[in-house]
Amino acid sequence: MNDTAAQPLKLFNSLTRQMEEFTPVHPGEARVYTCGPTVYNFQHIGNMRAYIFADLLGRTLNWKGYKLTHVINITDVGHLTSDADAGDDKMEKAAAKAGKSAWDIAKYYTDAYWLDIDRLNIRQPAKWAIATDHVEEMIAFAKSIADKHCYELESGLYFDVSTVPDYGRLAGMQSDDIEGRIEAVEGKRHPQDFAIWRKTPAGETRQMEWDSPWGKGAPGWHLECSQMSIKYLGERFDIHTGGIDHREIHHPNEIAQNQAHNCSEHSGANIWMHNNFLIDRAGKMSKSSGDFLRLQVLVDKGIHPLAYRLMCLQAHYRSELEFTWENLVAALTRLKRIVMGVEKMRAKDNPSILDVENAIASTMMRFEEAISDDLNTSVALTQMERTITASIGRSTAEEMLREMDTVLGLNVLNLARTDLRLAPKSASISEEEIEEKLDQRQQAKSEKDFATADTIRDELIAQGVELMDGDALRWDWKIDV
Ligand code: AMP
Ligand code: ZN
């Protein structure tokens, strides 16, 4: 419909701390690696913000005409409870607590994560790279850099960060961060040195352990992302994404390993991109705090998952986003307005050709300008809304919306108003029963039998459902989350 190649895609590179035009390593292709979840627990909705962002990026690259290869890893081994190389393996700890095997824990939470990926309309990547499937290759990777870049301690094999140029450039390393890490492991040469292989302590057995030249043990968390990204995307690929916390330790460590492995000063990926946090009143949403919101909680309240996706897209991915129920219901309302707008648009007549041409050109141009400007989704969303109300013929508008939605992924052409209903918390009857009574009431009203209509309304009130006659958004009943 429009010439999407006309506008260059500009992205903010955390490594150079500036906007850069996307120029692929392999012409016509885009290769993207996303740091995925550690599957020792459910993902909270803050984690899912990271994947909504990565999905938006992938969709944009596809829309711009690049052949996308997207890899997301699943960390099912090696991530310790502290980023300072101390503490337990998160998987082993969760398994011990649940009285299950670490493998069962990994499977259970990976499946739960994939369900949420689906519910948020996040597209399947070309590859889900599972860490435990790659341990032999990680050992080979470690062996290839051990002589020049690593040293062995009783607890494992450590990467010496002084052996690569510019360590910590991505993070803009802070000194207090360094202080925190020096005491964690005895014998480290530099506070920032990190484990690439962790030996199982003498006399202990871990559920997840492998033989290696440095003894039985497990890979350090950072090793998997270097090894798997290089394996699937090449020594130099286009974009690496993750949450902003990865900018401080995980990604600088990956970069150091990439430099060592590739015998190059280059960081491995041309552009490093980071989404900011979802926060709530208590601060950053995190799994370790124990009490966190997962997508299922929203679903249980009757809130459509795509309302959360819209909530994320309303903010720029590099801004903090505050979660409140009010914000979420506002996003749900907005999504409902869009969906109802589409219904209305489908029923309208075609306007004049001239109006159509002008409206298409300016709306698509602004949409593309916004997305090309480091994925400015909040402006892009307003152009989507503009398409619904502008003087554009039905089929053209649908085509434009389809194109915009390939980027935004809100499924606006397929959702129905009723998909976005919220069941009232106070209701003592099921949604189907409410629907049935609403139909009966509608029937009574159309037959001008107002006494029956009122009786049904009173019955519903007694069952905890307050109707909203005349509500412009046709919620049908009062929202109550
Ligand atoms: P984890 O499962 O802890 O490895 O985290 C998975 C992804 O979620 C990583 O990219 C994190 O950087 C990201 N993340 C963690 N907490 C948040 C948050 N509150 N908001 C946005 N992203 C987050
Ligand atoms: Zn990673």
Side-chain angles (χ1 to χ4, degrees), residues 354-397:
L354 196 65
D355 283 349
V356 173
E357 279 174 1
N358 290 339
I360 294 174
S362 72
T363 310
M364 279 318 292
M365 194 185 76
R366 284 187 204 155
F367 180 85
E368 198 200 339
E369 254 169 25
I371 290 295
S372 304
D373 181 18
D374 197 27
L375 314 177
N376 188 339
T377 43
S378 68
V379 172
L381 276 167
T382 60
Q383 296 312 310
M384 176 179 255
E385 287 166 327
R386 193 164 173 258
T387 308
I388 295 167
T389 50
S391 331
I392 303 173
R394 207 181 323 143
S395 58
T396 312

Side-chain angles (χ1 to χ4, degrees), residues 235-475:
E235 287 186 358
R236 198 180 278 209
F237 59 96
D238 297 302
I239 305 175
H240 195 309
T241 82
I244 198 164
D245 46 340
H246 288 347
R247 208 180 55 183
E248 310 305 320
I249 297 176
H250 182 49
H251 287 171
N253 291 355
E254 271 190 53
I255 289 174
Q257 293 169 155
N258 296 349
Q259 289 173 324
H261 177 273
N262 301 345
C263 302
S264 158
E265 293 195 3
H266 194 269
S267 68
N270 276 349
I271 300 184
W272 292 76
M273 293 177 77
H274 297 96
N275 64 280
N276 211 323
F277 288 137
L278 181 76
I279 54 167
D280 57 20
R281 285 192 185 111
K284 169 189 177 265
M285 199 169 279
S286 74
K287 278 184 269 188
S288 49
S289 65
D291 191 20
F292 59 81
L293 263 184
R294 42 188 286 238
L295 197 64
Q296 186 61 45
V297 177
L298 274 51
V299 172
D300 289 344
K301 284 181 185 284
I303 295 177
H304 199 288
L306 290 178
Y308 177 63
R309 183 174 176 113
L310 177 60
M311 184 178 154
C312 290
L313 297 181
Q314 287 181 158
H316 192 262
Y317 75 88
R318 282 197 287 128
S319 309
E320 275 189 352
L321 172 62
E322 186 179 355
F323 178 83
T324 62
W325 289 102
E326 291 74 24
N327 288 349
L328 183 63
V329 171
L332 178 68
T333 305
R334 187 171 183 192
L335 184 58
K336 191 165 182 191
R337 271 187 211 282
I338 294 175
V339 167
M340 288 174 69
V342 171
E343 277 173 19
K344 231 159 124 189
M345 179 198 85
R346 281 175 166 150
K348 76 183 179 190
D349 291 334
N350 284 343
S352 79
I353 302 288
L354 196 65
D355 283 349
V356 173
E357 279 174 1
N358 290 339
I360 294 174
S362 72
T363 310
M364 279 318 292
M365 194 185 76
R366 284 187 204 155
F367 180 85
E368 198 200 339
E369 254 169 25
I371 290 295
S372 304
D373 181 18
D374 197 27
L375 314 177
N376 188 339
T377 43
S378 68
V379 172
L381 276 167
T382 60
Q383 296 312 310
M384 176 179 255
E385 287 166 327
R386 193 164 173 258
T387 308
I388 295 167
T389 50
S391 331
I392 303 173
R394 207 181 323 143
S395 58
T396 312
E398 276 210 37
E399 210 182 306
M400 288 166 69
L401 288 174
R402 186 163 296 115
E403 185 167 337
M404 292 176 177
D405 210 41
T406 58
V407 178
L408 299 176
L410 290 167
N411 207 11
V412 294
L413 290 177
N414 301 314
L415 279 177
R417 179 181 72 87
T418 44
D419 293 331
L420 301 174
R421 266 186 185 150
L422 275 175
K425 207 165 42 183
S426 50
S428 57
I429 55 174
S430 71
E431 219 165 309
E432 289 74 39
E433 287 168 307
I434 305 175
E435 296 282 352
E436 207 174 301
K437 292 211 169 193
L438 281 179
D439 286 346
Q440 288 166 8
R441 184 161 179 261
Q442 198 51 44
Q443 178 70 21
K445 272 170 126 182
S446 65
E447 288 162 7
K448 305 224 175 318
D449 179 0
F450 297 113
T452 304
D454 286 350
T455 309
I456 294 174
R457 190 196 54 210
D458 293 344
E459 278 170 16
L460 280 168
I461 290 174
Q463 286 161 318
V465 185
E466 204 176 320
L467 297 187
M468 302 247 295
D469 283 338
D471 172 40
L473 271 175
R474 292 166 60 211
W475 281 111

Side-chain angles (χ1 to χ4, degrees), residues 33-36 73 75 221-222 224-225 240-241 246 250-251 254:
Y33 185 91
T34 293
C35 281
N73 71 301
T75 300
W221 170 41
H222 317 293
E224 65 177 89
C225 288
H240 195 309
T241 82
H246 288 347
H250 182 49
H251 287 171
E254 271 190 53

Side-chain angles (χ1 to χ4, degrees), residues 43-149:
Q43 293 287 289
H44 55 64
I45 56 172
N47 297 133
M48 296 315 290
R49 187 182 185 200
Y51 309 112
I52 291 173
F53 153 64
D55 181 52
L56 168 73
L57 175 67
R59 285 169 175 270
T60 299
L61 289 161
N62 262 163
W63 179 59
K64 289 273 184 187
Y66 298 104
K67 180 179 164 287
L68 174 71
T69 308
H70 192 185
V71 175
I72 307 180
N73 71 301
I74 301 282
T75 300
D76 56 354
V77 67
H79 196 165
L80 300 191
T81 47
S82 154
D83 278 347
D85 281 329
D88 305 315
D89 186 301
K90 290 186 180 190
M91 297 300 305
E92 301 258 351
K93 197 174 164 201
K97 198 168 161 210
K100 290 190 179 149
S101 81
W103 307 96
D104 288 344
I105 292 282
K107 180 169 184 346
Y108 180 77
Y109 290 115
T110 303
D111 286 346
Y113 165 67
W114 281 338
L115 175 65
D116 286 355
I117 285 284
D118 205 42
R119 295 201 275 206
L120 289 166
N121 206 17
I122 293 170
R123 298 186 317 172
Q124 289 291 313
K127 176 80 188 167
W128 292 107
I130 316 258
T132 49
D133 290 345
H134 296 77
V135 176
E136 290 308 325
E137 291 160 281
M138 288 184 222
I139 292 171
F141 186 115
K143 263 162 82 176
S144 75
I145 62 173
D147 283 353
K148 266 177 128 175
H149 299 276

